[in-house]
Amino acid sequence: RGDSVEKKIQKLDVELKRYSDQMKKMRDGPSKNMVKQKALRVLKQKRSYEGQLEGIRNQSFNMEQTNYTTQMLKDTKTSVDAMQTGLKQMKKEYKSVNIDKIEDLQDDMADMMEDANEIQEIMGRQYGMPDLDDADLEAELDALGDELLFDDDMSYLDEAAEAPTNVPGSSAKEDPSSTQLDEFGLPALS
């Protein structure tokens, strides 16, 4: 319905434009006044249609708001029903839960864990080992670190330099650059 009113307003706009252009070309006088009266009548008609269009839009908006509110209330009712059903189910299940039994179970579990830790401590005891003082152990560790720092003997590297470089089972005269290597950098097996 609003579309047909908008089309009527558009037709009246075209007619008003035509009368306005016509009046611009005319000189003052009775014929210009007659065109002016027609333009005023068309303008009144246009204002009437614009009022109708505004009323239609307001009614449409109100209907949309009513539909939205109705749907929102339906959704709210569905949510409340679901919450009530959930609450009933929770109360039913809660009746089967005994808090005292849960507390007893937790206490028993804590006792069992404590017993297990005590057993591990007993099993980890050392027999026949003298009690060592932590300060003595730290002093020995420091002295050991000092010995490692002053150890300049690198003769073990001489042995590594003398190690054979050829592949076992091949001739020693083979040129090492001609040996094919695998993806790990080792001589490839043929």
Side-chain angles (χ1 to χ4, degrees), residues 159-167:
E159 294 174 18
E162 296 172 6
T165 57
N166 60 340
V167 178

Side-chain angles (χ1 to χ4, degrees), residues 39-83:
L40 287 173
R41 182 183 47 80
V42 171
L43 188 58
K44 282 182 186 179
Q45 205 174 9
K46 178 184 172 189
R47 295 281 183 229
S48 173
Y49 283 139
E50 286 175 342
Q52 287 179 11
L53 183 60
E54 186 64 28
I56 290 170
R57 286 179 179 161
N58 286 338
Q59 288 175 4
S60 177
F61 177 75
N62 289 339
M63 288 188 313
E64 287 175 14
Q65 285 297 104
T66 302
N67 287 338
Y68 172 75
T69 303
T70 302
Q71 187 60 44
M72 186 177 66
L73 288 172
K74 286 179 183 178
D75 293 344
T76 300
K77 184 181 180 320
T78 302
S79 296
V80 168
D81 290 345
M83 289 168 63

Side-chain angles (χ1 to χ4, degrees), residues 88-102:
K88 285 179 187 176
Q89 188 65 31
M90 284 172 40
K91 285 181 179 180
K92 181 180 173 185
E93 294 297 326
Y94 190 71
K95 287 179 183 177
S96 66
V97 174
N98 187 340
I99 294 176
D100 293 333
K101 285 184 178 180
I102 294 172

Side-chain angles (χ1 to χ4, degrees), residues 6-39:
E6 285 180 3
K7 287 179 183 176
K8 289 178 182 178
I9 291 172
Q10 289 174 354
K11 286 181 183 178
L12 292 175
D13 280 338
V14 170
E15 195 174 340
L16 275 173
K17 175 79 171 135
R18 187 172 44 116
Y19 286 140
S20 175
D21 290 343
Q22 201 175 20
M23 285 191 307
K24 287 178 186 176
K25 295 176 185 174
M26 298 175 80
R27 287 188 236 174
D28 288 337
S31 56
K32 185 174 182 179
N33 285 339
M34 189 176 78
V35 172
K36 187 175 182 181
Q37 290 301 318
K38 288 180 183 180

Side-chain angles (χ1 to χ4, degrees), residues 118-136:
E118 191 174 330
I119 289 170
Q120 289 299 318
E121 188 177 312
I122 291 170
M123 295 299 292
R125 287 185 189 160
Q126 297 179 0
Y127 303 109
M129 292 291 293
D131 286 336
L132 300 175
D133 184 26
D134 286 342
D136 291 341

